[in-house]
Amino acid sequence: MTCSAFAARKWLKTFRPKIALHPHKSDYCDTCKLIKEEKSRQAAILKRLMQAGSAEEQKIREVEANIEVSEERLRSHKEDASAARDYYNQTIRTCTENWN
């Protein structure tokens, strides 16, 4: 037996008023996920090259550079996202203060 979301909310509010349903607090970001996957792929390539023992030094340095680029892209992206989130939160606070 299942119930609708409306019925579930009404039931919770009526019979369990202290229980609240909240979405997960972490923000999912496609860009972060793609950059982390790329970094993981490069780390796996580096591990295979190191284990092979016969890899060219130039190839190893190239993969290490790719990993550093991915780390910098992720750091830069997180800084941009943090600035956007801070701006959004400030805008919400300003609007709330102006309308109350």
Side-chain angles (χ1 to χ4, degrees):
M1 183 174 129
T2 61
C3 64
S4 68
F6 174 76
R9 273 191 238 106
K10 186 175 179 182
W11 182 86
L12 278 174
K13 188 175 182 179
T14 304
F15 298 106
R16 300 285 188 243
K18 293 186 178 183
I19 296 177
L21 300 177
H22 298 284
H24 196 294
K25 295 291 182 187
S26 69
D27 292 334
Y28 177 80
C29 176
D30 288 329
T31 304
C32 287
K33 184 171 174 24
L34 291 173
I35 294 171
K36 287 176 184 177
E37 286 176 354
E38 178 59 29
K39 183 180 166 190
S40 177
R41 272 194 295 277
Q42 293 297 325
I45 291 170
L46 180 62
K47 183 178 178 181
R48 283 195 300 271
L49 288 172
M50 299 297 253
Q51 287 176 346
S54 61
E56 298 175 11
E57 189 66 31
Q58 177 64 26
K59 182 65 177 170
I60 291 173
R61 275 189 255 128
E62 181 182 315
V63 174
E64 287 174 339
N66 289 342
I67 291 172
E68 288 178 20
V69 167
S70 293
E71 288 172 348
E72 180 56 35
R73 282 181 56 213
L74 184 60
R75 191 171 23 259
S76 174
H77 170 69
K78 285 187 175 186
E79 287 173 2
D80 292 345
S82 177
R85 187 174 44 250
D86 291 344
Y87 176 76
Y88 170 79
N89 289 335
Q90 181 59 39
T91 303
I92 295 298
R93 276 192 295 276
T94 303
C95 290
T96 302
E97 290 169 2
N98 291 339
W99 289 99
N100 286 335

